[in-house]
Each structure stands twice: as structure tokens, then as C-alpha cells.
Amino acid sequence: MKSITIQQPGNLVIEERVIPQPLAGEVRIRVTNAGICGSDVHIYRGHNPFVKYPRVIGHEFFGHIDAVGEGVESSRLGERVVGDPVVSCGHCYPCAVGRPNVCAELQVIGVHRDGGFSEYITLPAKNAHVVPDAIPDNEATMVEPFTIAANICSQMNPGPLDTVLLYGAGPMGLTSIQALRGVYGVKEIIVADRIDERLAMAKANGADRVINNASIDLKTELEALGIRPTLIIDAACHPSILPEAISLASPAARIGIMGFSSDPCVLSQQAITSKELTIYSSRLNSNRFPLVISWMSERKIQPEKLITHQFPYLQVLEAMELFEKDQKQCCKVLLKF
């Protein structure tokens, strides 16, 4: 089989590998589609602190089960499935309280173990989620990106009283906008970004108001509009954002951070406690695949709006370069296997 492997940072190869056999409790997926994520580019560039090389990348993938391991029902053969990249131990404290995404022995497919940019992949049977026939292949490939939005939203519990400020109109921000609008029905969504074309994407996906905070001071603009956000999501992931979000937030607001920046930021304890703010962080997803599949089945979200480019997998370098460099026109890029 052909696999897309990062041998070392900056060295991507398409290599021939032996087709893996599923172990007990596992299934094998014949991959047909996979999506490129920013973390794939980070691994390629050597900026992911968790990965060990060489590594087959890819954690957004869809296909059909074509083999099962011992203990897995043969009736699963042929199922259309998406793979949850979160592989957890099931017995540590986070797993016991329903948060396998921060398992003490966490293995992320495409990071800690080989991923879905390959013609075949094996994974635990419970990580392969059936996709109804009504959801097209391309849209099914988008389930994992929407689980990131589902995870932060499930923690923050948005509702019709909420005025949302969302930083960043990249893929994480746009999936969150769709969920906030189509699933949770929030009162208003305001999006801040520094690229006008991305702000246009935000409007197309459900934002009510957009602000280019490269040219407009966000605090001044919100004060002039009389807006105090009750729910703030940082999907841009810059260390300067959290202190600003704390200053902009309404009393009793919730703030969610989705980034992995290791750079420090300075916070005022008084600014947090005087308004009794709640700050959430979110990593990956904690069993959100069935939820997102139900959203898609009920047409509460429109994943097709986010797919801007598709490439044969042999053109993966061209696809990754486009994803990395064209932030004005490119959102989600799919690879076809």
C-alpha cells in the first residue's frame, strides 16, 4: 500500500508499506478520503512537540471497513466509517470521568501512531463510527473537524441568550460558527480576524457581524456598539487574545481557548474574579463523533461549505503548500485515495 510519511521535518515521502492486519478488537479501513489539518503541516515542519518520526500523518479520514480482528463482528465488513483519532486507555482518571481526549496514556492517530494518509489503516473498532448513506463521502470526511467545535461548545453550553465573540475565521472558527448558529441558536455571532477574505467566509457560514482587528481596535469597536460578549471563543490561538478576552467579557461570561501556544501571557486574577468569569480549554474531542454525525444527518451544519479544494493523494505536497500559504481562499483541503 502507499502511505504518506514524514521521515523527518521537511522530508515527506510517499512510500510502499505492507498492508497492516487488524489486531484483536481492531478493524482495518480502506481509506478513500482524508482531510489536511494545520497539525499535519506542523508535523511536516517539525513544530509538533508530541510526534516521533518517521510518522504517517493524517487524523481526518473516511473509508470502508475491509477487515476485522479477533472479537469484532464480521457484520462490520463494508461499513462506511470515519475514524476517531483519540485512542485512550479506558481506565485512568480522565477516561473514568468521560474525558478520554486527555487520557494519561493518550495516543492520537497521525501523531503518536500512524495515521490516515494511507491506503489502509487499522484502529480500535470502537473508534470507527458508522456514517449514514445520506451523508456524502466528502462531508463524512469533515466529521472530525466538527468534533473540535462540538467539544468546546459542549463544555460552554451556548444558548439563545448568548452574544458570541469568536477570534479567528480559519477552519476551527468556521466549524464553531456553524455549530453556534445551526445547533445552539445563539443570539449573535461576532467574528474578529485579520484577513478580509476569511471574514467573508465567516459571514457565509453564519456570523452576524465581522471585524477586521488588524485595522480596527476591537475594544473600541465593541464599546461603540454597546456589546459585551457573554461567550468568547479563541480559535486564533495567539497568547495576546486571552488577556483581551477577559477585559472584553461580560460579567458571568464564559471564555473558551482552543490553542496550543507555549508562549506565556499575563492575566489579572482580579479581572477574572471580579466578573466571575469561567475559562474553558479544549483539546481534540471526547466521544463527540456520534453527536456530529447526528448534526450532519439533521442538516444542522453544512460541511460542504468549508471544502474549498481537493487533490489526488499523490499531489499531497502541492495540497499542503496551498493549505499553508493561501489563507485568503483556502479552508479545507481533501485528499482522494
Side-chain angles (χ1 to χ4, degrees):
M1 69 174 184
K2 292 289 196 295
S3 298
I4 296 169
T5 306
I6 310 298
Q7 299 283 16
Q8 290 295 330
N11 181 14
L12 180 151
V13 298
I14 299 175
E15 62 181 2
E16 190 72 33
R17 289 191 167 201
V18 175
I19 297 176
Q21 298 303 312
L23 302 175
E26 290 188 338
V27 298
R28 185 175 70 202
I29 299 174
R30 173 68 173 91
V31 177
T32 56
N33 288 358
I36 295 176
C37 174
S39 61
D40 298 315
V41 177
H42 294 158
I43 293 170
Y44 176 49
R45 297 298 183 196
H47 301 151
N48 186 303
F50 306 108
V51 72
K52 292 184 178 180
Y53 301 91
R55 178 64 66 223
V56 178
I57 55 174
H59 59 271
E60 305 171 8
F61 53 93
F62 164 84
H64 297 77
I65 294 176
D66 83 324
V68 297
E70 181 182 349
V72 181
E73 294 288 339
S74 61
S75 60
R76 296 211 62 181
L77 290 167
E79 287 181 351
R80 300 173 72 241
V81 293
V82 286
D84 184 344
V86 176
V87 180
S88 55
C89 72
H91 54 73
C92 66
Y93 171 74
C95 287
V97 297
R99 296 171 71 178
N101 52 321
V102 286
C103 169
E105 300 175 26
L106 178 66
Q107 295 243 308
V108 180
I109 293 172
V111 180
H112 305 93
R113 57 189 278 172
D114 284 338
F117 284 10
S118 186
E119 291 182 301
Y120 295 89
I121 182 174
T122 57
L123 72 167
K126 67 182 179 64
N127 285 60
H129 295 270
V130 175
V131 178
D133 290 340
I135 299 175
D137 293 1
N138 281 358
E139 295 182 26
T141 313
M142 293 290 295
V143 171
E144 195 280 340
F146 274 94
T147 66
I148 307 305
N151 206 66
I152 189 74
C153 287
S154 294
Q155 292 188 66
M156 300 181 77
N157 194 28
L161 295 179
D162 281 313
T163 296
V164 179
L165 170 63
L166 187 141
Y167 288 89
M172 283 199 306
L174 295 174
T175 55
S176 298
I177 292 166
Q178 284 202 20
L180 290 163
R181 172 60 65 228
V183 178
Y184 294 97
V186 297
K187 179 181 177 182
E188 185 176 15
I189 302 173
I190 303 150
V191 177
D193 198 287
R194 293 171 176 263
I195 299 173
D196 285 333
E197 289 82 356
R198 288 209 160 180
L199 290 171
M201 291 186 199
K203 287 282 283 187
N205 282 276
D208 300 292
R209 190 187 303 270
V210 296
I211 299 171
N212 187 323
N213 59 337
S215 56
I216 297 174
D217 180 73
L218 193 55
K219 183 178 178 64
T220 302
E221 181 72 4
L222 292 179
E223 286 178 351
L225 294 168
I227 292 173
R228 301 198 75 181
T230 62
L231 191 149
I232 302 176
I233 295 178
D234 173 14
C237 314
H238 190 277
S240 65
I241 291 175
L242 182 56
E244 181 178 77
I246 289 169
S247 72
L248 297 177
S250 162
R254 295 94 76 211
I255 298 172
I257 52 178
M258 304 169 77
F260 246 104
S261 174
S262 60
D263 295 332
C265 62
V266 178
L267 306 178
S268 161
Q269 182 178 350
Q270 184 181 71
I272 298 169
T273 55
S274 64
K275 294 192 281 189
E276 201 173 63
L277 303 178
T278 305
I279 300 176
Y280 296 90
S281 63
S282 183
R283 181 183 183 187
L284 302 164
N285 87 95
S286 53
N287 298 317
R288 309 293 183 191
F289 272 66
L291 176 63
V292 170
I293 291 169
S294 73
W295 290 355
M296 288 189 182
S297 296
E298 296 166 19
R299 302 301 299 164
K300 291 182 176 179
I301 53 175
Q302 289 79 46
E304 71 281 358
K305 284 187 173 184
L306 305 184
I307 301 168
T308 54
H309 298 82
Q310 300 181 52
F311 289 84
Y313 77 92
L314 293 173
Q315 294 176 241
V316 61
L317 279 173
E318 181 182 345
M320 290 181 69
E321 183 175 355
L322 175 79
F323 179 85
E324 185 178 21
K325 294 182 178 179
D326 186 2
Q327 296 188 352
K328 292 184 176 181
Q329 305 299 332
C330 180
C331 185
K332 289 302 295 184
V333 179
L334 302 189
L335 299 176
K336 312 297 265 186
F337 285 85

mmCIF file of all heavy atoms in Angstrom, residues 51 117 189 219 264 323:
data_model
loop_
_atom_site.group_PDB
_atom_site.id
_atom_site.type_symbol
_atom_site.label_atom_id
_atom_site.label_comp_id
_atom_site.label_asym_id
_atom_site.label_seq_id
_atom_site.Cartn_x
_atom_site.Cartn_y
_atom_site.Cartn_z
ATOM 1 N N VAL A 51 5.068 14.457 18.420
ATOM 2 C CA VAL A 51 5.261 13.448 17.377
ATOM 3 C C VAL A 51 6.670 12.853 17.423
ATOM 4 O O VAL A 51 7.631 13.504 17.830
ATOM 5 C CB VAL A 51 4.984 14.055 15.990
ATOM 6 C CG1 VAL A 51 6.098 15.015 15.574
ATOM 7 C CG2 VAL A 51 4.808 12.973 14.946
ATOM 8 N N PHE A 117 -3.338 9.121 6.281
ATOM 9 C CA PHE A 117 -2.872 9.464 4.935
ATOM 10 C C PHE A 117 -2.213 8.225 4.339
ATOM 11 O O PHE A 117 -1.014 8.182 4.063
ATOM 12 C CB PHE A 117 -1.882 10.632 4.981
ATOM 13 C CG PHE A 117 -2.516 11.987 5.194
ATOM 14 C CD1 PHE A 117 -3.857 12.122 5.539
ATOM 15 C CD2 PHE A 117 -1.769 13.148 5.050
ATOM 16 C CE1 PHE A 117 -4.429 13.376 5.747
ATOM 17 C CE2 PHE A 117 -2.318 14.402 5.249
ATOM 18 C CZ PHE A 117 -3.656 14.518 5.597
ATOM 19 N N ILE A 189 -23.456 36.393 16.650
ATOM 20 C CA ILE A 189 -22.075 35.927 16.495
ATOM 21 C C ILE A 189 -21.258 37.042 15.859
ATOM 22 O O ILE A 189 -21.554 37.494 14.747
ATOM 23 C CB ILE A 189 -21.986 34.661 15.621
ATOM 24 C CG1 ILE A 189 -22.828 33.526 16.207
ATOM 25 C CG2 ILE A 189 -20.524 34.217 15.470
ATOM 26 C CD1 ILE A 189 -22.923 32.301 15.299
ATOM 27 N N LYS A 219 -11.698 46.505 21.138
ATOM 28 C CA LYS A 219 -12.326 47.033 22.350
ATOM 29 C C LYS A 219 -13.115 48.309 22.056
ATOM 30 O O LYS A 219 -14.275 48.445 22.473
ATOM 31 C CB LYS A 219 -11.248 47.304 23.409
ATOM 32 C CG LYS A 219 -11.789 47.798 24.751
ATOM 33 C CD LYS A 219 -10.658 48.001 25.740
ATOM 34 C CE LYS A 219 -11.159 48.547 27.063
ATOM 35 N NZ LYS A 219 -12.062 47.595 27.762
ATOM 36 N N PRO A 264 3.914 32.458 26.965
ATOM 37 C CA PRO A 264 3.162 32.891 28.150
ATOM 38 C C PRO A 264 2.316 34.132 27.867
ATOM 39 O O PRO A 264 2.577 34.894 26.931
ATOM 40 C CB PRO A 264 4.259 33.209 29.163
ATOM 41 C CG PRO A 264 5.442 33.591 28.327
ATOM 42 C CD PRO A 264 5.354 32.759 27.078
ATOM 43 N N PHE A 323 -2.647 24.766 1.405
ATOM 44 C CA PHE A 323 -3.307 24.918 2.707
ATOM 45 C C PHE A 323 -2.522 25.867 3.613
ATOM 46 O O PHE A 323 -3.095 26.702 4.325
ATOM 47 C CB PHE A 323 -3.437 23.546 3.374
ATOM 48 C CG PHE A 323 -4.088 23.578 4.728
ATOM 49 C CD1 PHE A 323 -5.467 23.555 4.857
ATOM 50 C CD2 PHE A 323 -3.322 23.638 5.890
ATOM 51 C CE1 PHE A 323 -6.070 23.586 6.099
ATOM 52 C CE2 PHE A 323 -3.921 23.679 7.142
ATOM 53 C CZ PHE A 323 -5.302 23.651 7.248
#
